[in-house]
Amino acid sequence: MYRDNYITALRTELLEMVSEQLTPVALRYGYSEVPLETNIKWRPQVLVLGNYSSGKSTLINEFLGTTIQGTGQAPTDDSFTVITFDDEEPDGTPIRVTEQRDGKFLLNDPEYPFESLKKHGQRFASHFKLKKVNSPFLKNLAIIDTPGMLDSITERDRGYNYQDVIGDLAQIADMVLVLFDPHKAGTVREAHTSLRDTLPSKTFEDRVLYVLNRIDECTSMTDLLRVYGTLCWNLSQITGRKDIPMIHLTYSTAAAEKNIQEDNPQATYLRYLENQREDLKNAVMQAPCHRLDNLASFVETHGERLTHFLEGMISYRKHARLFRVKSFFSGLAVSLVGGAAAWLGLMTFTPLAGFDPVLQLSGAGVLSAILFILWLTVVQKYFYGRFLKKWLRQLDHLTPLSNQTRRDSWAAIRDLLYVNLKKTEGHFSLSQVYSEYLVVKEIHETGSREIREALKELSGIDSNNWSKDMNEPVVPYWSVPESETPLEEQ
């Protein structure tokens, strides 16, 4: 299909742009610990977050069509579970877990985009796993189930920084579901931190869907409206938004049937909300459609941040060069003054006054050279250390922060620049950094615009009109090997 070939070609171009032009610079200067394309080369992902009793596992089981994740009123699983499709199982086989692998496998297999999570340590790795499931729902996406968020648990209790892990996963996810249940329409401490700090800094607002789950446990429509209103109020307080985000409503059909059978006639209101469940499912299945937009946003975001990062390096190097020029001439002046003083001393000091003037002048010159060398090797090094510490304390003065976009970009890379300057002591080639800065800036300003124009053109392509053979099986674009040359656009 021509449309799929177009998507494949565009995806290949994006990956090449990142791997060949952004990644080398990012790795060289510590902007990233792993190749940037690692985070975007796999299939679309949906991250599922929520309080421990919000019904995450139940909702996932509903999507998959069978019980894959353990469920219960108390916390049943404290692991991050990547659930992906097993395409080796023949069609018609009962849905089941076909393969399970541990965290060490996931973190070290280059097929998966989780190499950057190694930094969270062994304790996290032991709470990270993979399940392959032959559910048709997973053909075009993967789901990441997470441990339930609690109120009193700490980083020491978990053994790893939960918010950092959530942030890293949200950064590579194409969609994030945040689940609540009627009994905790308010939010626990970890949920508050995730919604207020972690998600806004790591992903875009339009990728986050809020879900009120287990609504079958509301005794009536009035009860549901009360819970819904409470959740809206709490979200407005946490997110600071005046406009309340859309909240999807859903429930387990099996649990709902049980409630209705237990002589609860008011629970029949659920049948009027069946479309809400379908809307949520359809929204999740749209994750692959957002993938190219997210890839374009990835290039734009990292192009902008890496440009700002290099701009900070260039600014520091220019200040450092000016410092060294001033220090050089200061040292030269001090050495000349010292040499002149030594020459006058030799001429006036009675025991040496009778020496040959040329010899006296040579001695003064040697002393001046020694003073200059000492200045460059000892004194200048000392003052440069103080100069570096001063700029590390006032990094914000390295670059203009004239608008909110630049302030947001600076907030994302400031600590990385601090680490880079402290580690290298500011010793790097200004000409090399500047040439790389021009390349990255070109990608940010021109490449990003061209990507958006290509996506706009793609949105105008009618896949039905562009298809030669509607019976031809469609291969998801993320499964096409990067080395495979896409067909020419027609």
Side-chain angles (χ1 to χ4, degrees):
M1 297 173 66
Y2 295 137
R3 187 174 189 274
D4 296 295
N5 293 336
Y6 187 96
I7 292 175
T8 301
L10 185 56
R11 172 188 173 267
T12 302
E13 183 179 348
L14 286 170
L15 289 174
E16 288 179 352
M17 183 184 297
V18 173
S19 63
E20 296 178 4
Q21 297 177 296
L22 297 185
T23 285
V25 180
L27 293 177
R28 182 175 299 116
Y29 300 114
Y31 174 84
S32 176
E33 296 178 354
V34 299
L36 294 177
E37 66 273 12
T38 299
N39 295 331
I40 59 175
K41 65 183 181 181
W42 200 46
R43 58 176 49 227
Q45 298 158 66
V46 177
L47 178 65
V48 183
L49 307 176
N51 302 335
Y52 74 87
S53 62
S54 58
K56 298 186 304 300
S57 297
T58 301
L59 180 65
I60 291 173
N61 291 338
E62 287 268 327
F63 287 157
L64 301 183
T66 191
T67 302
I68 298 298
Q69 295 292 85
T71 61
Q73 292 296 326
T76 56
D77 191 350
D78 62 350
S79 295
F80 291 84
T81 306
V82 179
I83 308 172
T84 187
F85 185 61
D86 187 349
D87 54 6
E88 295 182 0
E89 287 290 308
D91 293 339
T93 304
I95 299 174
R96 59 186 178 86
V97 176
T98 59
E99 182 181 353
Q100 294 194 60
R101 303 302 293 264
D102 60 20
K104 290 185 178 180
F105 168 83
L106 263 178
L107 296 173
N108 291 285
D109 190 327
E111 176 187 350
Y112 302 100
F114 305 115
E115 185 180 352
S116 61
L117 300 180
K118 288 181 181 178
K119 63 186 177 184
H120 298 297
Q122 293 298 321
R123 187 71 181 273
F124 164 73
S126 65
H127 291 78
F128 192 42
K129 59 186 178 182
L130 169 74
K131 288 184 179 180
K132 287 190 174 182
V133 181
N134 60 327
S135 171
F137 185 83
L138 297 172
K139 281 187 176 181
N140 296 321
L141 57 87
I143 295 176
I144 305 177
D145 194 9
T146 61
M149 292 184 279
L150 301 168
D151 217 1
S152 59
I153 199 164
T154 65
E155 180 180 343
R156 180 179 300 177
D157 297 324
R158 291 192 186 274
Y160 58 87
N161 192 312
Y162 178 82
Q163 294 298 331
D164 283 353
V165 176
I166 289 297
D168 287 345
L169 291 173
Q171 198 166 27
I172 63 176
D174 297 275
M175 183 176 292
V176 181
L177 300 186
V178 183
L179 272 62
F180 303 93
D181 66 276
H183 308 292
K184 291 184 180 62
T187 57
V188 298
R189 183 174 59 85
E190 283 188 328
H192 183 281
T193 304
S194 297
L195 296 177
R196 185 71 177 181
D197 302 319
T198 306
L199 293 181
S201 66
K202 294 295 185 177
T203 189
F204 296 98
E205 190 176 284
D206 59 350
R207 298 186 191 179
V208 181
L209 299 184
Y210 297 95
V211 181
L212 178 58
N213 195 19
R214 297 173 57 183
I215 62 172
D216 56 292
E217 296 179 15
C218 295
T219 57
S220 64
M221 178 65 81
T222 302
D223 190 22
L224 173 60
L225 292 175
R226 186 180 297 113
V227 170
Y228 188 91
T230 301
L231 180 56
C232 288
W233 167 258
N234 287 326
L235 285 178
S236 68
Q237 298 302 302
I238 294 171
T239 61
R241 292 174 52 175
K242 293 182 179 179
D243 57 319
I244 304 301
M246 178 178 180
I247 300 174
H248 296 266
L249 306 176
T250 191
Y251 58 93
S252 165
T253 53
E257 290 173 0
K258 181 179 179 181
N259 282 340
I260 294 175
Q261 291 172 0
E262 291 178 349
D263 299 327
N264 183 11
Q266 296 191 71
T268 55
Y269 71 88
L270 291 174
R271 64 173 173 263
Y272 300 111
L273 300 175
E274 184 65 26
N275 62 321
Q276 290 286 311
R277 294 179 65 254
E278 292 303 317
D279 287 346
L280 175 61
K281 187 173 182 179
N282 291 334
V284 172
M285 295 182 71
Q286 288 300 309
C289 300
H290 303 312
R291 185 60 162 174
L292 279 178
D293 279 328
N294 295 344
L295 290 179
S297 297
F298 182 91
V299 174
E300 291 173 346
T301 300
H302 286 285
E304 178 183 30
R305 291 178 179 177
L306 195 50
T307 299
H308 208 167
F309 182 88
L310 297 176
E311 182 183 314
M313 292 182 66
I314 292 170
S315 177
Y316 174 81
R317 193 60 181 163
K318 287 181 177 179
H319 284 94
R321 185 170 61 179
L322 181 61
F323 165 82
R324 291 185 183 280
V325 170
K326 291 180 178 178
S327 177
F328 176 86
F329 284 107
S330 297
L332 183 61
V334 168
S335 63
L336 290 176
V337 170
W343 181 54
L344 291 174
L346 290 173
M347 291 180 62
T348 57
F349 188 51
T350 303
L352 302 176
F355 278 28
D356 185 353
V358 175
L359 187 60
Q360 291 175 337
L361 188 61
S362 298
V366 170
L367 179 61
S368 178
I370 292 174
L371 287 175
F372 189 56
I373 291 172
L374 287 174
W375 177 277
L376 294 179
T377 58
V378 179
V379 179
Q380 181 174 274
K381 185 176 181 180
Y382 169 75
F383 282 115
Y384 180 76
R386 295 185 60 183
F387 169 86
L388 175 61
K389 290 180 180 178
K390 182 193 78 171
W391 278 105
L392 289 177
R393 290 193 301 269
Q394 56 181 39
L395 276 182
D396 294 344
H397 293 85
L398 283 178
T399 177
L401 305 174
S402 53
N403 54 56
Q404 189 59 46
T405 299
R406 294 209 28 111
R407 287 191 288 271
D408 291 343
S409 171
W410 181 248
I413 58 94
R414 186 186 187 280
D415 291 344
L416 297 173
L417 181 60
Y418 179 92
V419 171
N420 174 277
L421 293 178
K422 188 173 183 180
K423 182 179 179 180
T424 64
E425 296 184 344
H427 299 309
F428 47 82
S429 170
L430 178 59
S431 59
Q432 180 182 4
V433 174
Y434 188 73
S435 63
E436 292 170 333
Y437 165 77
L438 293 178
V439 172
V440 175
K441 185 179 180 182
E442 179 71 13
I443 291 175
H444 169 55
E445 294 181 350
T446 305
S448 298
R449 183 173 63 252
E450 292 175 352
I451 291 170
R452 289 300 178 187
E453 289 174 354
L455 290 176
K456 184 177 180 180
E457 181 179 347
L458 175 63
S459 65
I461 297 176
D462 185 342
S463 60
N464 290 328
N465 293 334
W466 280 65
S467 175
K468 278 187 175 181
D469 184 2
M470 294 303 293
N471 296 320
E472 180 183 354
V474 177
V475 180
Y477 61 84
W478 52 86
S479 67
V480 177
E482 293 179 31
S483 60
E484 181 177 323
T485 304
L487 298 177
E488 270 189 12
E489 300 170 22
Q490 301 295 319

